[in-house]
């Protein structure tokens, strides 16, 4: 049981929620992976896992879902009390299960595949299912019943076939975390490779630094090698040795350091003869190219040659060296010259030259082989040509922390050095990744025609055989990236997909960001491709400078309950510009984070969207009668329709209001309430114009952090007009005595012509004070309000007394707050 | 040998004793140069008595100078005064002894102009004007600032003469200078009246103003050092008339001149209980013991040792304790010198418990007690020490000890930028433990730390530089840490001004800081990873007074020629070299303190001129052996534990009751928090568990300390490991500790869960035997007859068949033992 689930325990859900479970969430599932060319039954435990409708795999079509079915609640777990505690108000039955049968194609890519379960209520959070190339076996220990370490020594080690994958679990026992030992037989000289998928399974809670330790011992128990996390995999270990003798070898999985709390950590241990390089060189080539690469980090005697056929598509490519190599080495694909460094190239004079006449795009490949190594490349550039220069090092799993300079060949002038990158230079959204920020990137343009030299070195002066890097020079492209904006950086999985009820709407914010160096201007629109039938995107046109765009997805009442991965791209509304722009969707799903930094995340290029069977409420919003202006207020009438007698609380919120417009917070409609006047106020920074407002509604239940149990609906877009104010009122300080009447006076300034007649009134008076009657605005600039204080009026000073001016606009009155005044209420003076 | 104190002040020749003149009578200084008309030299006449004590005969002595010679003697002030240029000899008689002192007189015709640095600044220090609470405060006082203890004379001159023209110094009416009127209290002065208008110091200040308040010309000599004479004073305590002794202080200048600065120096002592020293440098004995007096002048502090022997008490060194090794030779020599008798050797039971607690942090088991008492071999103690020193428990304990000051702790674990991730702390711990387990020469370990670089996760010594709490340590803080950790020296004061009680100047401070100027860190691929590296292009530190870039300079040593290399390489080599005496002395002193509850220098990380070792020969011998053994800490520990000194009883004998620094008996020491909780666990058989640690982890094994996470450890003063200071381990008892042992969960739960009590209450043992067993378990000794009788009395109505009641009774007995003072202390 992952401890993260503990937070679900405190969820309180009223009886009605049994019908409307809200967003489903996966707590744990088993097995965490299986081998390709097989069929496997996977059991998902979690919340609201009811009425399954399928599984959405977002990155592969090689895993077929044969069947999904609801299963009985999980059996009692003797070893974990958390799992047995009542939750969601409904006893242990709150734990729900779905069992899915998956058929993994023989050519399914090895590695991690992202999936979301689809139920009638929507999509679960994203989890990873791991596909291996070696036959899978289960560890003999049952973590739910385990009291002692049953396979923690050489004598008790579990025998496995050499060349298999074990799905196992490390459990904290009272005396510390157990070890799992496995025994394999190998021949002298045979390659013994081991790799663990552990923290990457993301089962240990997102805020966790658990690290597994892999150890290989010989038959006598002597440690031959051990490893914890490696730069390539960041949080998981791998190692390889050549077997010194024929005989038995023990491979063990344990904790790299004593875990702080009781843990149950699943892992997948791959042990076999596969080659598991820490790097490949060169780390990229041309589309569809058959590229010979050198494998780095293998024991001596093992062939370091391999050939890879690169895909036709440019970008990142995952290369699994051998059948059985569990995790791919990342490579890059780019059309253009693919230059390999020619050592020595430590100085400008010995720089490796890009073939004369080559223009961007081109790629440079090298290795900083020893500490202090510098690599130089020369290339020609034309004045004014703007290039994206990006070094891929950490992004390829290399331990390098590179920096580069570009200088005119033969010049001694100090060039600017690019080191760590910010999000803009990398073309990623805020907080999407941690590691790649160590890679340098910059938009560079040549000051004049000529030869230039790019010099690469490590910022810490380090180097080594696997310090592989690749620098890509590409032209700057104009365009906007899009992503689903996280509501809260601390709760990135709470709304990382969209669920829209049939006959309902869902509102989300789409964030945009220009590509590195891009020059974007003008008007853009969002286009969704691959939406399920009956679903449409309603999105306003927006300015290129708008970074957050509220959009609506609308599902027809007869839309099928379904799920899809949707392409969501921003295109210029100008059809001509649109031909060369638009660069897609780029969402990061953090799965392991430390502090606020993602450590292991999945990048997806499509938005997951599902149509849910029904949603228990809908909302409509009525456009405000009067325009909003600076320091003024208006209201939007929200009507809630409750379906099937739904009586739960509904929270209404304004999503992404225009700048300077503030919406009310925490507007809750309880019981049978169905209407609310939602107050909007204009701040000093509000700009006149026409805007669209988007209101969302959600149930009160559910978890803020994970989004579990949440149900969402949205109103259609509501037009909001923001105008300049008509009046400004300034008040003199006033005091009034309990039980007496008094006058509050002010000066009115007419800022622009207004239609019809107007009256002024004081609102937000303290308790016990009343205005005798509103004052009609006459010719004079003086305002005088008669106030009456009751005997028990609240004594004190009040600053927030507001002057509301209502303009009679031929039946649809316009309201404006024209100013605020101070009022002091004194106790009654004693009779003389 | 017996010393009989002799009647003081009685000339020895009258008693008919033949004392060699050269040894018994001494005059300080033994030669005099008077190099200006205003030069004066105070002299002291000292006689050494046969028991080694000294008496001052300055006023009784007769000083003769040739008539019309170059100098004359003023008996009222005991001062030599120049008359004319030339050379002469002062002949000093005391009783029937005589000493000749050559006197050189120069420049009597010249008038030396008063100097700001040589004459005026010293008065500011002597009068207290430039102390931190007065004008030396960073913001000055009442609008006037002087540099603290005069570290910036040029700045002081500017502020005095230029900051407010015509006010502080009045050249026309010198007596009306604010400086003089304030100092004499003529106008209101917060600091009060500091100078009398008729004093010599007032006259100097006034004359300097009269002469134009001029700044010093180029080439004005600067002080190179000071000396306090006599180097050693041995007084015999006397309750009726406390003996007194004058000191004289000389300053040596860069031009070779020597000046009597007795009336310009400030005086202090490191042991107020033993003696006092007044403003004139006169030392008065208060009680028997050893102490130092110090004089402070300019940026120098120098000391002189003073021993006060017991009052007229017969002292006979009993040879009942035989010296076992060089340690005893040094300790016993010192004790003889101070006439302090050592205690008797500790018995086997006391020794066994002591050495077990000291070397393995665990109490002796009953089996160990039995086999040790039955062992008749003469070398059984040595064998036991050998075994314990080689045990993994020793490694655990010493890893903890070094972990405390090397700050092996977890802090803000998910972010390496502002803390230390758990993994980094664990790696650091594992590395340190492996070094200690392998008994690697400790100077090599320290060198690795100083050179530390690379990832905090994969290169453990780099964590020496990742003690970030909010912000990474700045270079000067790293320098302070290194000096305190490895040299046992605190240089912090010299960050802002020259060290008032030590030799360190700001130049020394920033020179040492410069070694760390290039230490940089960079975030790694994981949020928990930080990469330490040195930027070899940053090799200087800025001097705050004049903005000068100070290159790396060893503390009290040379400037290395870097040639583009990492300065830390040079620092590591210098620091850990066998030639760096202070490094070996610091290691030896820290090791010593582990066994005696205090260092030979105490605090162990605050060695300075004004805090000298209580036994210099002992510290030197330990350091020397440590160097010879190639920094083998285990060998040193073996030597210490095998010494008779370590094996002395903690029971005092008449004459050594008040000794707390010369190691005449074993010190009674409270068990350190971690050890105490482990001992409770070992005695009851129910060890405590610690948050985040597997069951079975002893407190001394918690890799990152864990003081903050555990109530017991926190309350009993376990180190939080937040600084390099040895003082982070707090040993002082508190009421909370007592109450927690009495009522708290630690004792209670251990007793509740104790398998020992279950076993006893279920056994056939008589109550008496059970009580005996509990004594052995808890206190490592047999119960005394009185103790047994008291407990048996309580047990007489106990029905041993009633297991519940019996267990409760034994629980009470054990509770009482765990709450006894004896239990919580090593003795």
């Amino acid at each position: 049981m992952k401890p993260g689930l503990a937070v679900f325990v405190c969820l309180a859900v009223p009886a009605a929620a049994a019908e409307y479970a809200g967003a489903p969430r996966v707590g744990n599932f088993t097995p965490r992976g299986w081998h390709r060319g097989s069929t496997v039954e996977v059991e998902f435990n979690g919340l609201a896992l009811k009425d399954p409708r399928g599984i959405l795999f977002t990155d592969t079509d090689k895993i077929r879902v044969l069947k999904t079915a609801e299963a009985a609640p999980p059996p009692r777990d003797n070893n974990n009390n958390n799992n047995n505690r009542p939750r969601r108000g409904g006893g242990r039955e709150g734990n729900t299960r779905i069992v899915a049968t998956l058929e993994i194609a023989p050519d399914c890519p090895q590695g991690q595949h992202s999936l979301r379960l689809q139920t009638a209520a929507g999509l679960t959070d994203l989890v990873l299912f791991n596909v291996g190339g070696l036959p899978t076996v289960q560890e003999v220990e049952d973590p739910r019943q385990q009291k002692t370490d049953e396979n923690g020594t050489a004598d008790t080690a579990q025998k496995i076939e050499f060349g298999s994958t074990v799905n196992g679990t490390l459990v904290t026992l009272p005396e510390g975390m157990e070890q799992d030992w496995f025994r394999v037989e190998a021949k002298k000289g045979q390659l013994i490779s081991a790799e663990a998928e552990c923290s990457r399974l993301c089962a240990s809670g997102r805020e966790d630094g658990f690290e597994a330790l892999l150890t290989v011992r010989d038959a006598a128990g002597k440690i031959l090698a051990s490893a914890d996390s490696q730069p390539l995999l960041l949080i998981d270990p791998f190692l390889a040795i050549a077997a010194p003798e024929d005989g038995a070898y023990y491979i063990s999985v344990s904790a790299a350091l004593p875990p702080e709390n009781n843990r149950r950590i699943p892992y997948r241990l791959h042990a076999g003869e596969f080659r598991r390089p820490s790097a490949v060189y060169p780390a990229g080539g041309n589309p569809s190219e058959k590229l010979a690469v050198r494998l780095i980090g293998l024991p001596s005697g093992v062939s370091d040659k391999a050939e890879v056929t690169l895909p036709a598509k440019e970008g990142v490519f995952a290369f699994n060296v051998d059948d059985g190599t569990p995790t791919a080495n990342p490579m890059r694909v780019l059309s253009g010259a693919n230059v390999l460094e020619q050592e020595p190239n430590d100085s400008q004079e010995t720089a490796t030259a890009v073939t004369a006449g080559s223009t961007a795009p081109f790629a440079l490949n090298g290795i900083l082989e020893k500490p202090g190594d510098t690599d130089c490349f020369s290339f020609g550039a034309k004045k004014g040509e703007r290039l994206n220069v990006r070094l891929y090092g950490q992004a390829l799993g290399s331990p390098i922390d590179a920096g580069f300079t570009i200088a005119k060949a033969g010049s001694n002038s100090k060039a600017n050095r690019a080191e760590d990158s910010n999000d803009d230079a990398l073309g990623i959204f805020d907080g999407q990744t941690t590691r790649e920020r160590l890679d340098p990137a910059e938009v560079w343009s040549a000051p004049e025609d000529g030869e230039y030299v790019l010099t690469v070195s490590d910022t810490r002066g380090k180097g080594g055989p696997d310090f592989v890097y690749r620098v890509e020079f590409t032209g700057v492209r104009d365009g906007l990236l899009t992503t689903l904006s996280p509501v809260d950086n601390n709760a990135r999985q709470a709304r990382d997909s969209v669920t829209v009820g049939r006959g309902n709407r869902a509102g989300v914010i789409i964030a945009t960001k220009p590509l590195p160096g891009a020059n974007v201007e003008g008007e853009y629109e969002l286009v969704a491709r691959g939406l399920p039938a009956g679903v449409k995107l309603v999105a306003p046109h927006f300015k290129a400078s708008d970074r957050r765009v509220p959009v609506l997805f609308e599902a027809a009442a007869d839309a099928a309950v379904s799920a899809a991965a949707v392409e969501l791209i921003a295109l210029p509304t100008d059809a001509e510009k649109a031909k060369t722009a638009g660069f897609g969707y780029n969402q990061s799903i953090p799965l392991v984070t430390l502090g606020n930094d993602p450590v292991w995340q999945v990048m997806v290029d499509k938005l997951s969207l599902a149509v849910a069977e029904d949603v228990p409420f809908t909302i409509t919003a009525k456009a405000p009668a009067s325009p909003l202006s600076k320091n003024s207020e208006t209201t939007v009438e929200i009507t809630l329709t409750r379906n099937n007698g739904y009586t739960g609380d509904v929270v209404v919120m304004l999503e992404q209001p225009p700048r300077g417009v503030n919406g009310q917070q925490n507007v809750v409609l309880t019981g049978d309430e169905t209407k609310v006047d939602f107050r909007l106020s204009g701040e000093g920074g509000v700009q006149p114009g026409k805007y669209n407002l988007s209101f969302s509604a959600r149930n009160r239940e559910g978890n803020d952090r994970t989004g579990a149990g949440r149900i969402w609906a949205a109103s259609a877009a509501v037009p909001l007009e923001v105008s300049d104010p008509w009046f400004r009122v300034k008040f003199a300080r006033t005091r009034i005595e309990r039980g007496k009447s008094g006058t509050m006076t002010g000066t009115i300034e007419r800022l622009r012509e207004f239609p019809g007649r107007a009256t002024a009134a004081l609102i937000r008076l303290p308790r016990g004070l009343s205005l005798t009657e509103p004052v009609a605005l006459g010719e004079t600039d003086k305002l005088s309000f008669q106030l009456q204080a009751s005997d028990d009026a609240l004594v004190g000073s009040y600053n927030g007394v507001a002057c509301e001016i209502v303009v009679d606009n031929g039946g649809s009155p316009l309201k404006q707050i024209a100013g605020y005044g101070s009022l002091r209420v004194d106790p009654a003076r004693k009779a003389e | 040998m017996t010393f009989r104190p002799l009647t003081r002040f009685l000339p020895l020749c009258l008693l008919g004793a033949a004392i060699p003149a050269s040894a018994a009578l001494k005059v300080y200084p033994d030669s005099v140069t008077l190099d200006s008309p205003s030069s004066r030299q105070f002299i002291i006449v000292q006689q050494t008595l046969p028991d080694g004590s000294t008496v001052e005969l300055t006023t009784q002595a007769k000083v003769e100078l040739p008539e019309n010679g170059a100098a004359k003697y003023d008996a009222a002030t005991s001062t030599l005064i120049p008359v004319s240029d030339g050379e002469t000899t002062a002949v000093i008689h005391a009783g029937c002894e005589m000493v000749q002192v050559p006197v050189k007189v120069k420049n009597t015709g010249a008038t030396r102009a008063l100097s700001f640095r040589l004459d005026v600044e010293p008065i500011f220090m002597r009068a207290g004007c430039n102390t931190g609470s007065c004008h030396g405060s960073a913001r000055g006082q009442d609008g006037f600032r002087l540099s603290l203890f005069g570290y910036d004379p040029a700045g002081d001159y500017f502020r005095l003469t230029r900051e407010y023209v015509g006010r502080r110094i009045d050249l026309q009416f010198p007596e009306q200078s604010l400086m003089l009127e304030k100092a004499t209290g003529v106008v209101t002065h917060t600091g009060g009246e500091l100078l009398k208008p008729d004093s010599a110091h007032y006259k100097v200040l006034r004359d300097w103003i009269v002469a134009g308040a001029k700044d010093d010309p180029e080439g004005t000599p600067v002080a190179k050092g000071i000396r306090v004479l006599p180097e050693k004073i041995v007084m015999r305590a006397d309750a009726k008339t406390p003996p007194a002794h004058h000191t004289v202080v000389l300053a040596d200048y860069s031009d070779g001149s020597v000046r009597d600065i007795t009336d310009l120096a400030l005086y202090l002592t490191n042991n107020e209980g033993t003696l006092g020293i007044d403003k004139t440098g006169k030392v008065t004995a208060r009680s028997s013991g050893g102490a130092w007096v110090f004089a402070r002048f300019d940026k120098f502090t120098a000391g002189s040792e003073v021993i006060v022997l017991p009052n007229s008490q017969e002292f006979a060194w009993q040879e009942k304790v035989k010296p076992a090794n060089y340690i005893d030779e040094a300790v016993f020599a010192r004790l003889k010198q101070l006439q302090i008798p050592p205690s008797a050797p500790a018995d086997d039971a006391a020794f066994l418990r002591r050495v077990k607690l000291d070397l393995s942090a665990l109490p002796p088991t009953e089996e160990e007690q039995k086999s040790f008492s039955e062992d008749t071999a003469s070398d059984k103690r040595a064998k036991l020490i050998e075994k314990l020193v080689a045990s993994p428990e020793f490694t655990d304990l010493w890893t903890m000890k070094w972990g405390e000051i090397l700050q092996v702790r977890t802090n803000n674990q998910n972010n390496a930028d502002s803390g230390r991730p758990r993994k980094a702390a664990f790696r650091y711990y594992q590395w340190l433990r492996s070094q200690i387990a392998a008994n690697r020469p400790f100077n090599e370990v320290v060198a690795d730390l100083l050179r530390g670089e690379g990832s905090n996760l994969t290169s453990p010594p780099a964590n020496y530089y990742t003690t970030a709490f909010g912000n990474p340590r700045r270079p000067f803080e790293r320098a302070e840490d290194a000096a305190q950790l490895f040299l046992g020296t605190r240089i912090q004061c010299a960050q802002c001004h020259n060290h008032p009680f030590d030799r360190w100047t700001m130049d020394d401070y920033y020179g040492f800081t410069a070694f760390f100027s290039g230490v940089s860190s960079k975030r790694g691929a994981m949020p928990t990873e930080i990469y330490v590296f040195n930027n070899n292009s940053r090799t200087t530190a800025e001097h705050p007074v004049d903005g000068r870039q100070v290159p790396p300079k060893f503390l009290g040593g040379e400037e290395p020629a870097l040639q583009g290399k990492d300065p830390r390489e040079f620092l590591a080599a210098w620091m850990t070299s066998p030639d760096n005496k202070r490094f070996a002395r610091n290691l030896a002193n820290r090791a010593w303190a582990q066994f005696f509850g205090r260092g030979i220098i105490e605090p162990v990380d605050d060695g300075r001129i004004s805090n000298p070792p209580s036994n210099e020969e002992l510290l030197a011998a330990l350091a020397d052996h440590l160097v010879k053994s190639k920094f083998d800490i285990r060998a040193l520990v073996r030597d210490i534990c095998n010494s008779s000194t370590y094996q002395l009883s903690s029971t005092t004998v008449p004459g050594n009751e008040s000794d707390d620094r010369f190691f005449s008996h074993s010190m009674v020491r409270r068990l350190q928090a971690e050890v105490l909780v482990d001992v409770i666990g070992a005695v009851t058989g129910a060890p405590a568990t610690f948050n985040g640690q597997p069951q079975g982890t002893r407190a001394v094994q918690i890799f990152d300390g864990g003081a903050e996470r555990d109530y017991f450890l926190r309350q009993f003063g376990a180190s939080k490991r937040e600084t390099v200071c040895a003082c982070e381990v707090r040993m002082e008892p508190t009421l909370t500790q007592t109450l927690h042992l009495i009522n708290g969960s630690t004792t209670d739960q251990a007793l509740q869960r104790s398998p020992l009590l279950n076993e006893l209450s279920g056994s056939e043992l008589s109550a008496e035997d059970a009580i005996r067993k509990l004594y052995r378990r808890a206190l490592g000794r047999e119960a005394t007859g009185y103790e047994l009788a008291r407990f048996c009395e309580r047990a007489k109505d106990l029905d041993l068949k009633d297991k519940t009641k019996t267990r409760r009774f034994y629980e009470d007995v054990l509770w009482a033992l765990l709450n006894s003072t004896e239990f919580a202390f090593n003795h």
Side-chain angles (χ1 to χ4, degrees), chain A residues 110-112 131-132 195 197 270 274 276 320 322 324-328:
Chain A
Q110 298 177 81
Q112 301 194 306
V131 173
E195 179 179 328
E197 288 164 321
H270 308 268
F274 54 83
R276 155 75 296 161
N320 286 81
D322 287 338
T325 305
T327 310

Side-chain angles (χ1 to χ4, degrees), chain B residues 101-138:
Chain B
V101 175
V103 181
K104 239 183 230 175
V105 182
K106 294 191 286 194
N107 309 329
T108 46
T111 47
R112 181 175 77 83
L114 285 168
S115 146
F116 179 72
R117 282 164 184 76
L118 300 182
D119 301 301
V120 176
E121 278 273 318
I123 295 173
F124 292 155
M125 178 131 136
R126 166 78 179 216
C129 309
N130 59 14
T131 59
S133 56
C134 294
H135 300 290
S137 150

Side-chain angles (χ1 to χ4, degrees), chain A residues 174-176 207 211 228-229 234-235 256-260 394 401 420 435 438 459-460 462 594-595 597 599, chain B residues 413-415 422-423 426-427 430 453 457 522-528 531 533 691-695 703 709:
Chain A
E175 61 273 19
E207 286 283 336
E211 278 183 36
D228 60 5
S229 55
L234 214 55
I235 50 175
L257 61 155
E260 263 191 296
Q394 289 283 339
D401 183 0
D420 295 356
R435 177 172 202 177
L438 295 182
T459 57
R460 310 152 308 184
K462 296 286 126 185
L594 289 169
D597 301 298
V599 175
Chain B
Q413 68 156 306
N414 285 335
N415 190 340
R422 213 159 162 272
K423 183 177 175 187
F426 188 64
R427 288 280 175 271
Q430 279 185 317
E453 65 168 15
L457 304 181
K522 189 169 189 310
R523 204 171 163 156
M526 291 269 282
T528 49
Y531 209 95
F533 63 104
N691 196 6
Q693 303 293 327
Q695 223 174 56
F703 70 88
R709 298 190 298 272

Side-chain angles (χ1 to χ4, degrees), chain A residues 558-631:
Chain A
D558 59 353
V561 173
S562 55
V566 179
E567 262 190 278
L568 191 67
I569 55 175
L571 287 175
T573 48
D574 179 328
E576 199 50 41
K577 279 190 189 167
K579 284 181 189 163
T580 56
F583 297 94
Y585 185 80
N586 182 13
Q587 185 183 3
S588 159
I589 316 273
L591 292 164
V592 178
T593 59
L594 289 169
N596 290 326
D597 301 298
V599 175
W600 198 258
Q601 69 271 330
V602 173
M603 298 294 277
V604 293
D605 57 4
K606 292 189 181 71
L607 170 71
S608 295
L609 181 140
V611 180
E613 193 146 67
D614 55 4
V615 169
F617 47 80
T618 53
I619 57 165
T620 52
K622 198 171 144 195
S626 55
L628 191 67
S629 63
K630 191 171 157 184
N631 293 329

